[in-house]
Structure formats: structure tokens, C-alpha cells
């Protein structure tokens, strides 16, 4: 029985897809501006102001004027009882601490640093900080012993403090698409960490061996960096199920990669691999392998045998003529944004691949043209 070959060429629709993304972002921006100017948004601001004033003990006469709420920050700045109120209300969508969920949220490029009041909220269990200009995470993060989720994607963070190792209950750390060049060895002390996302930092070349202690990790994404080989510490993560090390500078894979006995998904596209080791056949739970096919000159025959449950996806990287819309250059302004767009595209494709019941249960070969 011959192997079924499924060929998808997305090069033609690529430009149309990017145009739709652009238009969708513009619609979302307009809708956000409309909501900010709406009566509902004003009511929300007034209600948040009343709650803040009551919590700080400010009398009604100070924030009510002729029976109406006065949301002018200048009126509150003169009383000194709510020094953080102006900062907290500057972006009603940016900072949204929900007491019942113990979640801190912050967004907006005007934020250069975290608000001072944050250090007093050590009961928080989740931080969600994204799309800001923040460059550093303060050392007082060690005080947040209940922290479970630390989402810090798409900021300007250039290093992580050693104190992050004090977060013994941390389960999720996402510092993707920042400016990191290294990872502190103290991160290896976060013994309960389950998900680590370092993708899109563009400059990370190695991970400290201390990360071998992260035995609970099931998800690691280090794509879009400068790794020349799979870090030794990653090969020691015995429970790892998902590894994305695409868009790096890998030239080969370690012969003992089959140490990752629990690995189910391995993404290797956009590297410099010329062959795949036979050890991949010895990984019993590996169900999805994605590589870039043009540089490959040797692939173990067993990978393509119908007896394996592996979906083998070979991406075609050779340049092709594509229809490029005028809006494309506006969407993809630099390499980091290029990687973000491609990551979203690949995520959607892989989800579709998993959901397609018609896909062969043995081997699926896909030639996918990605012209970015």
C-alpha cells in the first residue's frame, strides 16, 4: 500500500489571509475606541472610582459634585489618600485586579514599569502583563509565594531576576517575544513549573543546566531564538510532551533524543537539519513531527512506515512566486513580527491537522509553502 501524500499550497492565499488579519485588527481597534467613548465606559469609570474612594475612606463630598460623580483625577490628587488612583485609572482596561480571582492585568505601551502598589498585593496568583514597554521585573517578585501563572509576553523585558527561583508554586511562565538573551539558573528552583515559553526572544543561545530539575515540565517553546543544538537540560526533562525549537540554527539532533519518552509533539521547522536520527523511531509516544524538508538528505525509512502512529509533516521552504498584497508590508514590519504571524499560522494549521478525521492514521506528508 502506497503512502498517501497530501499537498497544500498556501502561497496563493497567504496575501489574502494577511489582509484579513489587518482588517480584523483595524475593526477591533475602532470597536475599542468606540467603547472607550461610550456611556457604558463612563459608568464603569465612575463605579470603579466610587469603589476606590470607599476603600480608601475618602468622603462622598470629595468625589460627588451636585449629586454626580466627578471623575477628574485632579480633584483626588489634592487629598493624598489615593496616590495610586490616578495611575490605576489611567488605563481602565490595562489594570484590572479582580479580588475574587486574584489576577493582575496590565497592558499598554505607555507603561514603563510596574505600578508601585503591586508590591503590596502579594496574595495575587496570576500576572498578565503584555504589550507594554516594561524592561525589568523587580526583585520583590520573590514575595509572591502564591503565584501560579506569570504571563509576560510581548514586552521589552531584557532579563529575569534571580529571585524568580523563589516562586515554588509557579506553574506557567511565558516571557515570549521580549528581549531576553539568557535565562537565570535559579529558574531551575521552580520545581512545579509545567509550561515554559521563551519563544521569539531572538537572542537566546543556551539554557542553564539547572533547568534539568524541572521534572514537571510538559511544554517547552524556545522557537525563534539562536539555539545551535537542543539544550542538555531539555533532554533531562522526563515528562516533556511538547517541544517547539523551530526557527533556530539546529544542524543536527542528539542521538539520545529518545530519552524524551513522553514527547508527543516535536516542531523542528526552519532549522538547518540535513538528516534525522533513527532514534526518533524509538520514541513511543511521538505522534507529530514537523521539519523543513528542503535541506534534508536522509530520513529514516521507519518514520514513513504505516505501522507507526506518527504524523510526519515536511514543510517546503524553497522560495516561490506568491501574490503579495500591498498591506503585507504593514503587517510584517520586522523579523519578530514575522515570527509572530508565522507562529499563529502554524498553530492554526497544526490544530486543523489534529482535528481532521480524514487524515491517515499512519503517515501524513505535507508540502507547505510559507513565503513571508
Amino acid at each position: 500500500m502506497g503512502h498517501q501524500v497530501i499537498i497544500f499550497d498556501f502561497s496563493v492565499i497567504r496575501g489574502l489571509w494577511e489582509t484579513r488579519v489587518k482588517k480584523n485588527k483595524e475593526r477591533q481597534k475602532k470597536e475599542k475606541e468606540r467603547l472607550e467613548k461610550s456611556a457604558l465606559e463612563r459608568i464603569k469609570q465612575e463605579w470603579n472610582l466610587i469603589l476606590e474612594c470607599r476603600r480608601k475612606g475618602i468622603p462622598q463630598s470629595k468625589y460627588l459634585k451636585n449629586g454626580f460623580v466627578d471623575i477628574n483625577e485632579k480633584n483626588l490628587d489634592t487629598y493624598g489618600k489615593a496616590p495610586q488612583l490616578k495611575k490605576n485609572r489611567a488605563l481602565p482596561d490595562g489594570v484590572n485586579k479582580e479580588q475574587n480571582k486574584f489576577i493582575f492585568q496590565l497592558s499598554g505601551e505607555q507603561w514603563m514599569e510596574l505600578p508601585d502598589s503591586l508590591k503590596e498585593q502579594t496574595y495575587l496568583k496570576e500576572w498578565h502583563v503584555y504589550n507594554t514597554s516594561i524592561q525589568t521585573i523587580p526583585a520583590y517578585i520573590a514575595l509572591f509565594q502564591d503565584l501560579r501563572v506569570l504571563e509576560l509576553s510581548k514586552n521589552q523585558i531584557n532579563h529575569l531576576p534571580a529571585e524568580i527561583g523563589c516562586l515554588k508554586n509557579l506553574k506557567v511562565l511565558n516571557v515570549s517575544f521580549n528581549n531576553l538573551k539568557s535565562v537565570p539558573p535559579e529558574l531551575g528552583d521552580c520545581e512545579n513549573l509545567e509550561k515554559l515559553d521563551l519563544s521569539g526572544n531572538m537572542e537566546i543561545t543556551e539554557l542553564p543546566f539547572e533547568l534539568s530539575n524541572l521534572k514537571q515540565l510538559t511544554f517547552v517553546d524556545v522557537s525563534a531564538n539562536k539555539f545551535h543544538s537542543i539544550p542538555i537540560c531539555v533532554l533531562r526533562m522526563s515528562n516533556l510532551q511538547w517541544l517547539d525549537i523551530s526557527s533556530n540554527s539546529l544542524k543536527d539532533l542528539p542521538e539520545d533524543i529518545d530519552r524524551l519518552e513522553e514527547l508527543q509533539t516535536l516542531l523542528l521547522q526552519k532549522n538547518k537539519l540535513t538528516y534525522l536520527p533513527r532514534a526518533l523511531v524509538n520514541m513511543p509516544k511521538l505522534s507529530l513531527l514537523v521539519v523543513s524538508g528542503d535541506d534534508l538528505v536522509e530520513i529514516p525509512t521507519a518514520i514513513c512506515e504505516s505501522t507507526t502512529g506518527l504524523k510526519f509533516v515536511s514543510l517546503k521552504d524553497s522560495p516561490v512566486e506568491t501574490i503579495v498584497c500591498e498591506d503585507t508590508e504593514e503587517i510584517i514590519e520586522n523579523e519578530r513580527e514575522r515570527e509572530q504571524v508565522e507562529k499563529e499560522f502554524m498553530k492554526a494549521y497544526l490544530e486543523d491537522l489534529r482535528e481532521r478525521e480524514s487524515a491517515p492514521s499512519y503517515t501524513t506528508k505535507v508540502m507547505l509553502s510559507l513565503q513571508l
Side-chain angles (χ1 to χ4, degrees):
M1 176 179 178
H3 300 301
Q4 182 173 350
V5 179
I6 301 177
I7 301 178
F8 291 96
D9 187 354
F10 287 95
S11 59
V12 178
I13 64 171
R14 181 72 186 205
L16 297 177
W17 179 79
E18 291 172 343
T19 302
R20 291 179 180 177
V21 172
K22 176 70 173 179
K23 292 181 178 179
N24 184 55
K25 289 182 178 179
E26 291 177 351
R27 285 195 297 267
Q28 291 178 347
K29 181 179 180 181
K30 291 180 180 180
E31 180 65 13
K32 182 178 179 181
E33 293 175 351
R34 185 186 69 80
L35 290 175
E36 289 176 350
K37 297 178 181 179
S38 68
L40 289 176
E41 184 62 29
R42 180 178 177 85
I43 293 173
K44 178 182 176 181
Q45 292 180 13
E46 293 177 353
W47 181 245
N48 288 337
L49 176 61
I50 293 173
L51 291 178
E52 187 70 16
C53 290
R54 288 180 179 177
R55 186 175 69 85
K56 294 183 177 295
I58 300 176
Q60 290 186 5
S61 58
K62 303 300 183 182
Y63 60 85
L64 290 181
K65 186 176 182 180
N66 297 326
F68 295 95
V69 178
D70 187 358
I71 61 174
N72 189 347
E73 297 93 343
K74 294 182 180 179
N75 295 333
L76 289 174
D77 290 341
T78 58
Y79 299 108
K81 292 185 178 181
Q84 301 299 326
L85 189 57
K86 179 179 180 179
K87 181 176 289 186
N88 288 341
R89 292 182 60 255
L91 279 178
D93 294 332
V95 182
N96 183 19
K97 184 194 70 173
E98 302 178 18
Q99 292 281 355
N100 58 333
K101 294 184 179 179
F102 302 98
I103 296 176
F104 169 74
Q105 296 182 351
L106 183 71
S107 65
E109 294 181 357
Q110 59 269 54
W111 288 93
M112 305 293 292
E113 58 184 15
L114 294 169
D116 293 336
S117 59
L118 180 60
K119 66 177 66 175
E120 302 170 1
Q121 303 170 19
T122 56
Y123 54 84
L124 291 171
K125 294 184 179 180
E126 297 186 17
W127 285 16
H128 295 267
V129 181
Y130 54 93
N131 288 327
T132 73
S133 299
I134 294 174
Q135 297 184 10
T136 60
I137 300 300
Y140 65 68
I141 194 174
L143 302 175
F144 291 76
Q145 290 297 300
D146 292 329
L147 205 59
R148 303 291 196 276
V149 176
L150 194 54
E151 291 276 354
L152 305 172
S153 63
K154 300 180 183 179
N155 298 291
Q156 301 296 322
I157 300 172
N158 49 43
H159 80 280
L160 294 175
E163 287 77 7
I164 198 171
C166 298
L167 305 178
K168 303 299 183 181
N169 293 311
L170 190 66
K171 293 183 179 296
V172 176
L173 175 60
N174 182 354
V175 281
S176 61
F177 295 96
N178 280 278
N179 297 321
L180 294 178
K181 294 184 178 181
S182 62
V183 177
E186 289 80 5
L187 182 60
D189 295 331
C190 299
E191 54 193 23
N192 289 304
L193 195 64
E194 297 176 359
K195 179 178 179 179
L196 176 62
D197 192 342
L198 299 169
S199 62
N201 281 280
M202 312 304 289
E203 297 292 334
I204 301 177
T205 60
E206 188 53 87
L207 296 179
F209 183 77
E210 287 78 1
L211 268 60
S212 301
N213 299 326
L214 302 178
K215 302 301 184 182
Q216 303 302 316
L217 267 179
T218 60
F219 179 102
V220 171
D221 189 343
V222 290
S223 60
N225 279 289
K226 291 185 178 179
F227 288 93
H228 293 278
S229 62
I230 296 181
I232 296 177
C233 63
V234 172
L235 297 175
R236 303 296 191 274
M237 297 172 182
S238 55
N239 286 313
L240 196 62
Q241 298 177 13
W242 177 292
L243 175 59
D244 187 349
I245 194 168
S246 59
S247 299
N248 278 277
S249 300
L250 300 185
K251 294 183 179 180
D252 54 36
L253 297 179
E255 294 296 333
D256 60 343
I257 193 173
D258 52 358
R259 294 172 59 112
L260 300 174
E261 296 180 353
E262 300 296 319
L263 195 65
Q264 299 175 15
T265 300
L266 179 57
L267 307 183
L268 299 168
Q269 70 271 17
K270 293 188 67 177
N271 278 287
K272 299 178 181 179
L273 297 173
T274 57
Y275 74 96
L276 298 178
R278 184 175 176 78
L280 290 171
V281 181
N282 301 327
M283 303 173 70
K285 295 188 177 181
L286 187 62
S287 59
L288 179 61
L289 173 63
V290 182
V291 297
S292 295
D294 283 359
D295 293 330
L296 290 173
V297 296
E298 182 178 348
I299 300 176
T301 304
I303 290 182
C304 299
E305 290 179 353
S306 60
T307 55
T308 69
L310 178 65
K311 288 187 175 65
F312 176 69
V313 182
S314 178
L315 303 186
K316 183 176 176 58
D317 291 335
S318 59
V320 295
E321 295 183 2
T322 59
I323 299 176
V324 180
C325 297
E326 295 179 357
D327 294 336
T328 302
E329 293 183 358
E330 297 178 9
I331 298 175
I332 307 173
E333 297 178 354
N334 53 46
E335 187 176 357
R336 182 173 277 112
E337 290 187 3
R338 183 192 303 266
E339 291 293 345
Q340 290 182 27
V341 171
E342 181 174 348
K343 200 167 188 66
E344 293 176 2
F345 186 81
M346 280 300 302
K347 181 180 178 181
Y349 169 72
L350 293 178
E351 288 178 354
D352 179 70
L353 180 63
R354 289 181 178 277
E355 293 175 358
R356 266 191 287 126
E357 296 181 356
S358 59
S361 60
Y362 43 95
T363 302
T364 301
K365 293 183 179 180
V366 179
M367 299 175 63
L368 175 63
S369 299
L370 290 180
Q371 179 70 19
L372 297 179

